[in-house]
Amino acid sequence: MQPNKITDLFHIKYPIIQAGMIWASGWRLASAVSNSGGLGLLGAGSMYPEVLKEHIEKCQKATNKPFGVNVPMLYPDIEKLMEIIVDGGVKIVFTSAGNPKTWTNFLKEKGITVVHVVSSVKFALKAQEAGVDAIVAEGFEAGGHNGRDETTTMVLIPSVKEKVSIPLIAAGGIATGSAMLAAMVLGADGVQIGSRFVASEEASSHIDFKKAVVEAGEGDTHLTLKELAPVRMLKNKFYQSVQKAYSEGASVEELKKLLGRARAKRGMFEGDLEEGELEIGQVSGLIHDIKPASSIMQDLLQEFEMAQNNATKF
């Protein structure tokens, strides 16, 4: 695989980014992906400031390769997180779920490379205008919190590529090397992969959640709760409670009450498969095993090469 805009931007070997997912992306996973030639991300959205500091320090000890931090900008203590990131010497930050203008200049003045996650052309243009170094365009196939427009990755990537000039990373529904090649043919310079790395040995998510991901089939996830913040999750008892609430005409306040607090932690980190919120992407139907992150990286690269060779036969 040849160097490109993404490998040059992050100083990595392969244009593969492991998503900074809540309750899954700790230092073990991030360092394993970085050591394998990709870019590992710590998921700060599920970390208190002191926990993030610990993960940054442990990641720095576990790898001498670049890694970054994903920061959802709705986080209540974001100022503390940003202070820890700067003080910790982190050089790459992915921001999401908020206005990129809020923190981009601050981070870039500190010499930090900034990437923003978007779900539409409109927000891609706003991120470019804010001065970010690259964009992640995430289709609605992706797990966790998502765009309201339900634009698929296959449509979103060329649409964004047509309008922006900065490096573009594709996300949503990518778990294989062939999907990676498809995204890059559509115009992406690299890919961000989440769900496949949830089913890794190093992911900090609960083993029962990992097994549920592996056992999931086509149609076992759904994007819901758009009135609060759209989220794609596995269909379980909690999901059925949400659907029942909709059928009974639940208000936004009633949905908030049903969701409660720490529902995602309960499911993904503590392993409550009935009442927890099990955030994962549609592509979980293609994930059939739990293996080391290094093996996942090897699979992706081998599949990419095979797909590339097969494509030349047409």
Side-chain angles (χ1 to χ4, degrees):
M1 189 177 297
Q2 298 296 317
N4 68 5
K5 293 178 182 179
I6 292 300
T7 57
D8 291 346
L9 180 64
F10 299 132
H11 305 291
I12 55 178
K13 190 173 182 181
Y14 307 115
I16 300 172
I17 292 91
Q18 161 253 311
M21 304 163 287
I22 62 169
W23 306 116
S25 304
W27 69 270
R28 289 182 179 86
L29 178 56
S31 62
V33 172
S34 290
N35 283 333
S36 299
L39 180 71
L41 296 181
L42 299 173
S46 53
M47 298 181 184
Y48 290 115
E50 60 271 19
V51 175
L52 175 60
K53 181 179 179 182
E54 176 187 348
H55 278 259
I56 290 172
E57 292 172 350
K58 287 184 175 179
C59 202
Q60 288 169 334
K61 291 177 181 177
T63 184
N64 60 2
K65 301 294 197 322
F67 71 91
V69 177
N70 174 269
V71 183
M73 291 191 288
L74 297 178
Y75 191 94
D77 284 332
I78 190 168
E79 291 84 3
K80 293 180 181 178
L81 291 184
M82 292 300 188
E83 182 180 337
I84 285 168
I85 286 167
V86 172
D87 291 346
V90 174
K91 296 302 181 184
I92 300 167
V93 170
F94 281 49
T95 55
S96 59
N99 187 341
K101 289 185 178 181
T102 310
W103 287 100
T104 296
N105 286 342
F106 169 84
L107 292 168
K108 288 179 70 69
E109 286 170 1
K110 307 294 183 181
I112 294 172
T113 299
V114 182
V115 183
H116 192 65
V117 183
V118 302
S119 59
S120 69
V121 173
K122 173 184 175 181
F123 290 117
L125 289 169
K126 286 182 179 295
Q128 180 173 257
E129 183 184 343
V132 302
D133 296 289
I135 291 167
V136 175
E138 183 178 74
F140 100 116
E141 299 97 321
H145 293 289
N146 217 314
R148 286 183 167 83
D149 295 334
E150 299 192 6
T151 306
T152 64
T153 302
M154 195 169 213
V155 173
L156 181 62
I157 297 308
S159 298
V160 173
K161 184 67 175 180
E162 187 177 58
K163 298 294 184 180
V164 303
S165 58
I166 59 178
L168 173 61
I169 300 163
I174 302 168
T176 63
S178 55
M180 177 179 171
L181 177 62
M184 296 179 77
V185 169
L186 287 172
D189 300 296
V191 295
Q192 178 174 282
I193 296 174
S195 297
R196 172 66 271 204
F197 284 115
V198 167
S200 69
E201 292 180 1
E202 294 89 348
S204 51
S205 42
H206 197 281
I207 184 61
D208 289 347
F209 175 48
K210 296 180 188 182
K211 290 178 179 177
V213 171
V214 169
E215 292 168 2
E218 180 186 3
D220 283 347
T221 71
H222 186 240
L223 186 69
T224 187
L225 292 174
K226 287 189 177 183
E227 293 82 354
L228 306 182
V231 60
R232 180 174 296 282
M233 66 177 81
L234 282 175
K235 296 175 181 177
N236 63 351
K237 185 178 178 182
F238 167 63
Y239 167 82
Q240 297 301 336
S241 297
V242 172
Q243 297 309 106
K244 184 173 183 290
Y246 275 122
S247 69
E248 295 173 352
S251 66
V252 171
E253 287 305 314
E254 287 169 331
L255 289 172
K256 285 181 180 178
K257 185 176 179 181
L258 175 61
L259 179 62
R261 289 180 56 82
R263 182 77 71 170
K265 179 182 180 181
R266 186 172 173 180
M268 295 185 285
F269 191 68
E270 297 175 352
D272 185 343
L273 302 185
E274 294 295 319
E275 295 295 345
E277 183 180 302
L278 307 177
E279 300 179 10
I280 202 72
Q282 276 186 334
V283 80
S284 53
L286 287 176
I287 299 170
H288 307 305
D289 50 18
I290 300 166
K291 56 174 60 177
S294 60
S295 296
I296 293 171
M297 286 289 293
Q298 289 173 9
D299 290 346
L300 288 166
L301 295 166
Q302 290 171 2
E303 291 163 2
F304 180 90
E305 186 175 350
M306 287 178 60
Q308 204 169 32
N309 290 337
N310 288 335
T312 62
K313 297 176 183 177
F314 293 105

